[in-house]
Amino acid sequence: MAGHSVEVAADGIAGLARAHELVPDAMVLDVMMPGLDGWTVLAAIKSDPQEKVASIPVVMLTARADDLDVIRGGIEGAVRYLTKPFAIDDLRSAVADAVAGGPEPQQRRAAQQAALVHLATLERGSLPVRTATARPRMTRLEPVSGARYPSPAQTGSVAWPSWVTLELLTQRDQEILAALLAGESVNDARAKLGVSRSYLYARLRSLAGKLGFANSPALLAALRTAHALRDSGRAPS
């Protein structure tokens, strides 16, 4: 396609394996895929301990054009986001931009900043209606009913998002969340906490259930959003 060598994977699991095998110049992910969906594959790519894999530029494709889906794509690490239906020239342009757009970390930061601006614009207007599609809550857009702001005596210096209900969490749960809220990657958090990768992911699955998220990638997305908002100077809520 447009001078590129293209490799195709039949599902999310195969796509993730091919990304590790080939380390392509860019990756196009459809949100709706069998095996693992696009969000799960994107989260796995961006949290991969191998920098060369984590730095693959990702273009997301989806049939959904909701504001929160577009914002989620930018926050989670996609450098481009296309909604269906789209012209083939749009896909060519998105891939070309991802390949030639400079170092992936810089592209990712620019996409995250654009997503934060989009989010701030939404928050200044009316709140979007929640849909039936499972997705992470994104700061003030979808607060958890009954969530409390902890006092400084309870949490020390941690500024918890409003969807964190401390009464549900053990001390170890709070340590894990605090590390990820501080911007640690999953691998760095694992090393700092002195636990195995499998243990940490098991705890994240448990935490996702406790805090009302569909799965651990959704929880990780919300944590990245909270960290990005804090980095931008806006307190998570």
Side-chain angles (χ1 to χ4, degrees):
M1 181 181 73
H4 301 295
S5 175
V6 178
E7 294 284 338
V8 178
D11 56 33
I13 296 172
L16 190 55
R18 294 293 275 168
H20 282 86
E21 177 186 350
L22 300 172
V23 190
D25 293 329
M27 188 172 185
V28 178
L29 282 178
D30 198 326
V31 169
M32 299 300 294
M33 297 188 297
L36 295 175
D37 67 15
W39 296 124
T40 306
V41 175
L42 178 63
I45 291 291
K46 295 307 161 188
S47 63
D48 196 281
Q50 299 183 63
E51 184 179 354
K52 63 181 182 179
V53 175
S55 296
I56 297 171
V58 175
V59 177
M60 294 295 291
L61 307 179
T62 180
R64 299 187 60 88
D66 291 1
D67 286 310
L68 287 182
D69 289 292
V70 176
I71 291 169
R72 181 177 178 182
I75 291 294
E76 292 201 34
V79 299
R80 300 290 186 277
Y81 189 100
L82 289 179
T83 58
K84 301 175 184 176
F86 53 81
I88 191 63
D89 283 345
D90 293 335
L91 178 57
R92 290 194 185 100
S93 294
V95 171
D97 288 347
V99 170
E104 187 274 347
Q106 294 180 12
Q107 293 193 63
R108 193 191 323 167
R109 283 193 293 272
Q112 287 173 338
Q113 186 58 43
L116 290 173
V117 171
H118 192 170
L119 178 60
T121 301
L122 285 180
E123 290 186 327
R124 285 196 296 268
S126 60
L127 299 183
V129 177
R130 188 194 299 254
T131 70
T133 302
R135 66 184 66 180
R137 282 174 291 273
M138 303 194 72
T139 68
R140 291 198 300 270
L141 291 178
E142 300 178 14
V144 176
S145 176
R148 303 169 188 159
Y149 286 98
S151 69
Q154 288 176 299
T155 63
S157 61
V158 178
W160 298 105
S162 62
W163 44 263
V164 172
T165 306
L166 289 179
E167 291 86 348
L168 300 176
L169 306 180
T170 66
Q171 183 61 39
R172 194 55 157 170
D173 289 338
Q174 293 181 38
E175 291 171 357
I176 291 169
L177 289 178
L180 295 169
L181 276 170
E184 301 280 0
S185 68
V186 171
N187 198 53
D188 287 344
R190 177 204 63 73
K192 180 172 289 187
L193 295 167
V195 299
S196 69
R197 189 177 179 89
S198 58
Y199 172 87
L200 183 55
Y201 273 107
R203 293 300 291 262
L204 286 171
R205 286 193 295 271
S206 173
L207 278 166
K210 287 181 181 182
L211 297 174
F213 289 87
N215 49 41
S216 52
L219 171 60
L220 287 169
L223 289 166
R224 282 192 291 272
T225 300
H227 173 70
L229 287 171
R230 185 180 300 161
D231 260 7
S232 72
R234 300 173 61 226
S237 58

